[in-house]
Amino acid sequence: MLRFFVIATCIAAYLLSSCNPPVRLRPRNVQTGLDSTLYIGIVEHPLSVDLRTARFLAKIKVGDLGVSLDCRYPDVLNHAADRARSIGGNLLVITEHKQNNVKSNCHVVRGDIYAAPQLEGMENRMWWHPARTLLPGDLRGALNQLPQAPLPPLRTEITCRLGGDFVKTASIRTETIFYCDSTYLPPVPSQTTLALRRAQLHFDLAELHARRLKAALADLGPNLSALTRQVRDLTARQQELLRAEQAAVDAELSTETSDAILTRWDTQIKTELNALSPYAGEVLVGLRKRG
């Protein structure tokens, strides 16, 4: 009921765009002299990262007007990241995160924006982006604290949510996440290249399944009821398919570790990622049928 009131308020004001959470920088008119960036790393635990070589650019806050839409935590992080990239930042360190529970259920974050010379090993989790591939330091789990197996453990995840105004459009948004602390770089040099390529393969495969999921939801057409009813089940199903395909990759690598296997999977995955490029980002579904 609250959401419908919010939507009605925004429409009545003819300011749907203003229903986005407000994003503010301090200094307000910061001039960094830097070009905008494609990718920004997000650190949610300030004490876990060494910032001595990073250049501080600005503080940022994503707030809540009480009538904000698309203000769940992943959405709020996206708003902050977009603004941080626009001033040349490549690292966003979250210093405060809370969720309102009185006037709305929106999340509010504060953070610091930096330009870091490199991001390798700084992120606890990474969001898939073509401009940011895994580097050796990103496999940062502790060898003695993770299960030992022929192939190192690792964890990826895809999430999906619906946003938008739910009047004219619905937006399908996914996240493809790699948990850097879930795996490690083997101490044997001959195994490090395999571990890194395998981790990237799993990461790319997760992004592929996220795009497949968005394509399946978009195929439901301008049917908000069907979208809201099926998004959770289809996401869970796609997660199962992802795990099964990742297991198939590892089954092959467990019997024969070879460049040929990695290259074949890599080529197959990248070919389909390219074919599904229209589903790489947010997918908008028009809700008004053509009459």
Side-chain angles (χ1 to χ4, degrees), residues 184-207:
Y184 56 84
L185 203 65
V188 181
S190 61
Q191 298 177 355
T192 57
T193 299
L194 166 65
L196 187 61
R197 291 186 65 187
R198 170 178 168 260
Q200 186 66 56
L201 204 65
H202 276 244
F203 202 7
D204 292 344
L205 191 55
E207 171 62 14

Side-chain angles (χ1 to χ4, degrees), residues 94-220:
I94 303 300
T95 57
E96 181 182 347
H97 168 217
K98 64 180 181 180
Q99 182 178 10
N100 288 330
N101 53 22
V102 178
K103 62 181 180 180
S104 73
N105 290 318
C106 289
H107 291 254
V108 174
V109 299
R110 298 176 187 267
D112 296 329
I113 303 169
Y114 293 87
Q118 65 177 20
L119 293 177
E120 181 179 358
M122 299 188 78
E123 299 160 88
N124 174 262
R125 55 177 178 162
M126 290 172 55
W127 282 260
W128 193 95
H129 194 284
R132 174 73 165 100
T133 56
L134 290 169
L135 297 170
D138 297 320
L139 278 58
R140 44 178 262 178
L143 175 63
N144 59 354
Q145 295 179 5
L146 293 170
Q148 302 301 300
L151 294 174
L154 58 80
R155 180 187 171 198
T156 61
E157 180 183 22
I158 58 175
T159 67
C160 183
R161 63 195 183 282
L162 298 179
D165 58 38
F166 290 171
V167 177
K168 293 182 179 180
T169 59
S171 63
I172 306 170
R173 302 164 184 168
T174 60
E175 292 179 293
T176 301
I177 302 171
F178 180 86
Y179 291 87
C180 300
D181 292 341
S182 70
T183 190
Y184 56 84
L185 203 65
V188 181
S190 61
Q191 298 177 355
T192 57
T193 299
L194 166 65
L196 187 61
R197 291 186 65 187
R198 170 178 168 260
Q200 186 66 56
L201 204 65
H202 276 244
F203 202 7
D204 292 344
L205 191 55
E207 171 62 14
L208 176 56
H209 279 266
R211 296 186 189 186
R212 289 175 180 171
L213 173 59
K214 281 183 281 193
L217 287 167
D219 283 345
L220 296 176

Side-chain angles (χ1 to χ4, degrees), residues 2-265:
L2 175 61
R3 187 173 183 85
F4 288 110
F5 173 76
V6 168
I7 293 171
T9 302
C10 294
I11 294 174
Y14 297 100
L15 292 172
L16 280 171
S17 61
S18 70
C19 290
N20 289 328
V23 182
R24 298 185 177 91
L25 293 180
R26 194 175 69 202
R28 180 175 300 179
N29 297 315
V30 59
Q31 300 294 325
T32 66
L34 300 174
D35 294 332
S36 60
T37 58
L38 294 175
Y39 176 87
I40 186 164
I42 299 176
V43 173
E44 296 167 291
H45 304 287
L47 297 180
S48 70
V49 62
D50 184 353
L51 298 169
R52 287 176 295 179
T53 61
R55 172 187 168 189
F56 173 79
L57 301 181
K59 291 186 174 294
I60 189 168
K61 177 184 177 182
V62 183
D64 175 21
L65 294 175
V67 291
S68 298
L69 300 178
D70 296 340
C71 54
R72 284 173 283 187
Y73 186 49
D75 299 313
V76 169
L77 286 181
N78 283 337
H79 288 304
D82 286 345
R83 189 62 182 277
R85 285 197 302 267
S86 72
I87 64 170
N90 67 348
L91 183 66
L92 172 64
V93 179
I94 303 300
T95 57
E96 181 182 347
H97 168 217
K98 64 180 181 180
Q99 182 178 10
N100 288 330
N101 53 22
V102 178
K103 62 181 180 180
S104 73
N105 290 318
C106 289
H107 291 254
V108 174
V109 299
R110 298 176 187 267
D112 296 329
I113 303 169
Y114 293 87
Q118 65 177 20
L119 293 177
E120 181 179 358
M122 299 188 78
E123 299 160 88
N124 174 262
R125 55 177 178 162
M126 290 172 55
W127 282 260
W128 193 95
H129 194 284
R132 174 73 165 100
T133 56
L134 290 169
L135 297 170
D138 297 320
L139 278 58
R140 44 178 262 178
L143 175 63
N144 59 354
Q145 295 179 5
L146 293 170
Q148 302 301 300
L151 294 174
L154 58 80
R155 180 187 171 198
T156 61
E157 180 183 22
I158 58 175
T159 67
C160 183
R161 63 195 183 282
L162 298 179
D165 58 38
F166 290 171
V167 177
K168 293 182 179 180
T169 59
S171 63
I172 306 170
R173 302 164 184 168
T174 60
E175 292 179 293
T176 301
I177 302 171
F178 180 86
Y179 291 87
C180 300
D181 292 341
S182 70
T183 190
Y184 56 84
L185 203 65
V188 181
S190 61
Q191 298 177 355
T192 57
T193 299
L194 166 65
L196 187 61
R197 291 186 65 187
R198 170 178 168 260
Q200 186 66 56
L201 204 65
H202 276 244
F203 202 7
D204 292 344
L205 191 55
E207 171 62 14
L208 176 56
H209 279 266
R211 296 186 189 186
R212 289 175 180 171
L213 173 59
K214 281 183 281 193
L217 287 167
D219 283 345
L220 296 176
N223 188 332
L224 181 59
S225 176
L227 283 169
T228 56
R229 186 174 63 251
Q230 296 191 44
V231 61
R232 181 174 297 180
D233 289 343
L234 286 178
T235 300
R237 175 57 177 160
Q238 203 67 51
Q239 283 274 23
E240 293 175 1
L241 295 173
L242 168 61
R243 299 287 175 253
E245 200 160 10
Q246 288 175 329
V249 171
D250 285 351
E252 288 195 50
L253 292 175
S254 295
T255 57
E256 180 187 355
T257 301
S258 73
D259 287 339
I261 293 174
L262 289 165
T263 299
R264 174 168 50 80
W265 276 100

Side-chain angles (χ1 to χ4, degrees), residues 260-276:
I261 293 174
L262 289 165
T263 299
R264 174 168 50 80
W265 276 100
D266 184 59
T267 300
Q268 176 182 325
I269 292 168
K270 287 182 177 176
T271 298
E272 191 171 350
L273 279 173
N274 185 61
L276 291 175

